[in-house]
Amino acid sequence: NVRRLETVRRDFISNISHELRTPLASLKALAETLQSGAINDPPAARHFVNQIELEVDTLNQMTSELLELARIETRESDIQLAITDTCKIMEQACDRLRLQAERVKLDLKLECPSNLPQIMADGSRLEQVFVNLVHNAIKFTPPGGEIIVSAQKDNRAVRFAVKDNGAGIPADDLPRIFERFYKTDKARSDGGTGLGLAIARHIVEAHGGEIWAESIEGKGSTFSFVIPSAG
């Protein structure tokens, strides 16, 4: 057990170091380019400053997601369960990302039946799960595609799904996508942190639920999760 924990810790530190290296190297290169003369060329300087902002945003996102993951994994995430309006959570998540979807010409649809049972959930945490899943779908769905966020009764639970008709996930990657820092080749070139799905998994499991993904490469993905109903 101690040996396994040591291996996990070593892998975790190695992964963080690897993920930090790319934005830090980019920041150094951008700063050097500005210092070597680009700062005196206003259009070029503006472009490089914008790139610096993007890299800093990546570092900020990584830091906040690492802190979030650490809190969840040490059970300090203070999940507050209460009877929750399921459709409202889904609507709020879709509203937050609708503009982003429209900007890249994606149709974001919400399908939430009015007769769904209520669930015991932490609304803000569950909204974060939807945001993470929809954000992923936006990244990997080409313009003209669609993303459908849906819910349905499933025995004594509610089953949620975020379905897209985007790039899909290679079969070899599917079993590992909820691991910390794990990225498919497509995701690696995208520059994300590789933490969003791990956070979603921890939040769903903290609610007593389960999350999984189904995908056919080139035809899209469906991320599903179940949360026990309140009754």
Side-chain angles (χ1 to χ4, degrees), residues 103-152:
R103 198 177 292 135
V104 289
K105 297 180 170 54
L106 296 176
D107 188 9
L108 178 56
K109 296 177 178 175
L110 175 61
E111 296 176 357
C112 190
S114 57
N115 61 345
L116 273 183
Q118 292 178 314
I119 56 173
M120 289 293 288
D122 183 320
S124 63
R125 297 285 181 177
L126 211 54
E127 185 180 333
Q128 186 179 358
V129 174
F130 282 111
V131 166
N132 286 7
L133 296 181
V134 174
H135 182 68
N136 253 25
I138 290 171
K139 280 195 294 188
F140 299 114
T141 305
E146 72 172 12
I147 299 163
I148 301 170
V149 182
S150 63
Q152 64 183 72

Side-chain angles (χ1 to χ4, degrees), residues 44-107:
R46 267 195 300 275
H47 170 72
F48 288 122
V49 169
N50 286 339
Q51 291 299 114
I52 286 172
E53 279 190 331
L54 288 173
E55 296 296 348
V56 171
D57 286 346
T58 298
L59 288 170
N60 276 332
Q61 183 188 354
M62 195 182 300
T63 304
S64 63
E65 288 186 348
L66 276 168
L67 289 170
E68 173 72 6
L69 196 56
R71 276 197 297 269
I72 291 170
E73 290 189 339
T74 55
R75 304 189 186 281
E76 292 174 9
S77 57
D78 61 356
I79 283 184
Q80 306 288 329
L81 297 180
I83 291 178
T84 303
D85 182 336
T86 310
C87 290
K88 187 178 179 186
I89 294 172
M90 297 168 70
E91 284 168 14
Q92 288 170 342
C94 287
D95 286 345
R96 282 175 63 182
L97 291 165
R98 196 169 301 284
L99 196 62
Q100 192 176 330
E102 287 172 356
R103 198 177 292 135
V104 289
K105 297 180 170 54
L106 296 176
D107 188 9

Side-chain angles (χ1 to χ4, degrees), residues 17-28 55 59 188 191:
S17 303
H18 178 75
E19 293 299 326
L20 288 173
R21 198 173 296 134
T22 302
L24 288 173
S26 295
L27 285 168
K28 183 170 174 57
E55 296 296 348
L59 288 170
R188 202 165 283 117

